Amino acid sequence: MDKRSLNLSKLLGKKHSAFLFGPRGVGKTTLAQAYVKNVTPSLTINLLHDDQFNKYLKNPEILRAEIKSLLMNSNGETLTVFLDEIQKLPSMLDEVHAIIEDEEIKGKVNFLLTGSSARKLKRDGANLLAGRAWTLSLHPLTFLELGDHWNLDKALKVGTLPLPYLHQSSSQESIRVLKSYVGTYLREEIQLEAQIRNLQNFSRFLEMAAQMNAKPVNYSKIAKQVGVTTKTIQEYYQILLDTLVAFRVNGWSRSVRKQIQKAPRFYFFDCGIINVLQGEIHEELSPSSYRFGKLFETLVVLEMIRANDYAETDYKFYYWRTSTNLEVDIILQRGAKTKPVAIEIKSSINPDEHDLKGLLAFSEENPEAELFVFCLCQLEYKIQNKITVIPWQLGIKRIFS
C-alpha cells in the first residue's frame, strides 16, 4: 500500500495552506511528512514534542522570526511550514494568521496544520484562519488504497486503521492495538479534549452507541440506560461527530408517506473499533450471520463517505424508513432539485426482488431516482429493468468517480 487517495501535492502544490483533520491513527503525520519531504524549503514543527511545545507556548512570535530567516535563504521559493497536532496549542493560530497576512512575506509561505479534530480549536475560540486555509479530511484506509492487500474478512474484523490492518505478525496483535486505541484514545483523550467530567458515563455511552451503530437513535432511551440526561447524550454524540469518530445519517425528508422515520443514524468510523466496543472482537464472523450483514453495511457506507470526501462529489447522505419497516440503507443527493440515488446494501451474492421491497417502494414515490443494490455478486445485472445489482466496489467507483 503505497499511496493515499488524498494527494496533498496535487491538491496544494506550493500555493495553498490547509488544515488536515482526521481521527488519531489514520496516518495524518505520515501523509504530511511525505508531502513536506518533496517540497523545499520547509519547516516541520511537532507540538507533541515537549521542547517545541514549550518554546512556542512561551514565545509564539519566534515562528515568524524563524520563517523570515528561512525565506532569506530560499532563493525566492515558497516556504512550506508543517505544524503537527495544532490542537495542542490553539493560540498559535493567531500567529499563523498574522504571518499569512504579513505584507513583507505575504504569498511566500504556506502552512499545513494537522489535528485530530477542530473541536478543541473551536471550543477555545481559536483562529481558524477565516478561509485562508482549506479543510481536508483523512480517513482509515480504503479498498482502493489497499489494492492487492484488500481483504474483506479482515476489514470487517479489525477495521482499516493502518496500524492494526497492516500489522505483519498476528491477528491477536492487531486486536491488542485496537483495544489500546479504544482504551487510551476514545475513552481518555477524547474525554480530556471534550472536558467530560464523568469518564464512567462516557464509557457506558460509547458501548451503547456501538450497539446502536447504523440504527435509528432514540436519545431519551439511551439516556435512561446510561443514567444521564437526554441533552448529555446529544452532546456525547456531537463529540463523536466533532472528533470524526462517527458520522451522522439523517432520515430522508422528501417523502409523501406519513410517519417516515426521522431519527438519525450514526456510523462509527471503523469496523474494528465497533467490534471492540461491542465486546465481539474475538467472536468468529460467519458470512450468513446478522452481525456480518450489519458490519458489511457499515463498511460499505464508510467507503462511500470516504470516496465522497476524496472525490469531492458533494453528496449528502440519508436513509429512508417507513412506519411499516420498508427501508433503503442510503439515499444520496446533492441538492433538492437533483435526482436521488437510492442504494440498498446486501451481504448476499445474488439478491432478488424479494430483498428489495424498500427500493421498489421508494421508487414509487421517487420515479426519477437511480436504484442500486451494492452486494457481493460477481457480475452486474438488472431487476425489473430499473434496479442495478452491482459488486459494491464497482458501484462505489461508478458513483464517486
Side-chain angles (χ1 to χ4, degrees):
M1 197 283 299
D2 299 318
K3 295 182 179 180
R4 301 300 302 263
S5 297
L6 191 65
N7 188 327
L8 295 179
S9 296
K10 183 178 179 181
L11 282 168
L12 304 178
K14 298 183 73 173
K15 299 178 181 179
H16 303 285
S17 295
F19 287 101
L20 177 60
F21 291 122
R24 195 171 302 284
V26 296
K28 298 183 299 295
T29 300
T30 301
L31 184 67
Q33 286 173 337
Y35 163 69
V36 171
K37 186 178 178 180
N38 292 315
V39 293
T40 54
S42 65
L43 171 64
T44 296
I45 299 166
N46 189 336
L47 294 173
L48 283 178
H49 296 163
D50 288 342
D51 56 339
Q52 296 192 33
F53 176 85
N54 290 325
K55 179 175 80 169
Y56 295 107
L57 174 65
K58 295 174 183 175
N59 299 293
E61 66 276 5
I62 289 176
L63 179 61
R64 191 182 317 208
E66 291 172 333
I67 286 173
K68 288 185 176 181
S69 176
L70 288 168
L71 285 172
M72 288 177 62
N73 302 297
S74 69
N75 297 319
E77 290 284 328
T78 301
L79 173 68
T80 298
V81 180
F82 168 32
L83 270 167
D84 203 8
E85 301 290 348
I86 187 62
Q87 81 279 355
K88 296 291 183 182
L89 193 53
S91 60
M92 199 169 179
L93 286 168
D94 287 329
E95 186 63 26
V96 170
H97 191 171
I99 291 168
I100 290 175
E101 293 300 308
D102 190 319
E103 290 295 334
E104 184 181 345
I105 56 178
K106 195 170 185 177
K108 298 178 182 179
V109 57
N110 293 318
F111 290 88
L112 178 59
L113 310 117
T114 67
S116 53
S117 80
R119 180 180 175 83
K120 189 173 189 297
L121 300 179
K122 292 175 182 176
R123 189 194 71 214
D124 293 344
N127 184 339
L128 293 179
L129 308 183
R132 291 167 178 82
W134 294 351
T135 298
L136 306 174
S137 297
L138 189 66
H139 301 275
L141 299 170
T142 69
F143 76 93
L144 287 170
E145 292 170 333
L146 284 162
D148 293 340
H149 295 284
W150 171 256
N151 182 292
L152 176 61
D153 290 337
K154 188 173 186 179
L156 293 177
K157 185 174 180 63
V158 303
T160 58
L161 282 167
L163 187 55
Y165 188 92
L166 298 173
H167 212 291
Q168 297 299 313
S169 55
S170 67
S171 60
Q172 190 59 41
E173 287 296 313
S174 297
I175 291 171
R176 288 194 188 103
V177 171
L178 284 169
K179 290 168 74 173
S180 175
Y181 187 101
V182 168
T184 60
Y185 177 56
L186 292 190
R187 296 186 193 276
E188 295 175 16
E189 287 195 38
I190 288 182
Q191 180 213 15
L192 290 172
E193 181 177 314
Q195 296 182 344
I196 298 167
R197 294 180 180 178
N198 192 318
L199 179 57
Q200 190 175 36
N201 284 346
F202 187 66
S203 293
R204 283 202 298 269
F205 160 73
L206 281 174
E207 292 167 6
M208 282 298 305
Q211 295 294 333
M212 293 301 299
N213 182 75
K215 300 175 183 177
V217 165
N218 184 317
Y219 295 117
S220 299
K221 189 175 291 186
I222 295 176
K224 289 180 181 178
Q225 292 177 292
V226 175
V228 296
T229 66
T230 299
K231 182 180 178 181
T232 297
I233 293 299
Q234 291 172 329
E235 290 172 351
Y236 283 174
Y237 267 112
Q238 190 59 49
I239 290 167
L240 298 186
L241 297 176
D242 289 344
T243 53
L244 305 178
V245 167
F247 301 95
R248 175 176 173 143
V249 175
N250 289 324
W252 171 262
S253 58
R254 207 183 80 189
S255 177
V256 297
R257 285 179 182 267
K258 294 182 179 180
Q259 297 181 351
I260 294 297
Q261 177 72 61
K262 295 289 184 65
R265 290 179 174 179
F266 293 87
Y267 289 85
F268 273 83
F269 78 112
D270 181 77
C271 287
I273 299 302
I274 295 169
N275 288 327
V276 172
L277 286 170
Q278 290 182 344
E280 297 179 326
I281 189 64
H282 294 288
E283 301 296 321
E284 291 297 320
L285 196 55
S286 167
S288 61
S289 67
Y290 173 79
R291 180 170 161 245
F292 183 98
K294 295 307 293 183
L295 285 170
F296 179 73
E297 175 193 331
T298 296
L299 175 76
V300 175
V301 171
L302 293 177
E303 289 280 352
M304 288 194 284
I305 289 171
R306 297 164 191 174
N308 190 50
D309 256 6
Y310 292 151
E312 298 182 283
T313 39
D314 298 328
Y315 281 112
K316 293 180 175 64
F317 285 66
Y318 306 93
Y319 77 95
W320 185 80
R321 182 182 176 93
T322 72
S323 58
T324 55
N325 294 326
L326 292 171
E327 71 172 86
V328 178
D329 293 321
I330 292 293
I331 310 294
L332 302 174
Q333 193 174 34
R334 288 193 176 97
K337 295 183 179 180
T338 61
K339 64 181 180 181
V341 180
I343 302 169
E344 185 67 15
I345 301 167
K346 296 293 182 182
S347 58
S348 56
I349 296 174
N350 293 303
D352 57 29
E353 192 172 318
H354 178 74
D355 300 315
L356 309 175
K357 293 179 181 178
L359 270 181
L360 294 169
F362 183 83
S363 178
E364 289 176 9
E365 291 187 4
N366 304 275
E368 80 283 10
E370 290 187 78
L371 309 177
F372 287 92
V373 181
F374 286 5
C375 63
L376 294 173
C377 64
Q378 297 298 311
L379 297 173
E380 180 179 340
Y381 61 95
K382 290 274 191 179
I383 291 180
Q384 290 194 7
N385 205 35
K386 61 181 178 179
I387 299 176
T388 300
V389 182
I390 191 169
W392 66 272
Q393 297 103 319
L394 182 58
I396 288 175
K397 289 178 183 178
R398 182 173 299 177
I399 292 175
F400 302 97
S401 59

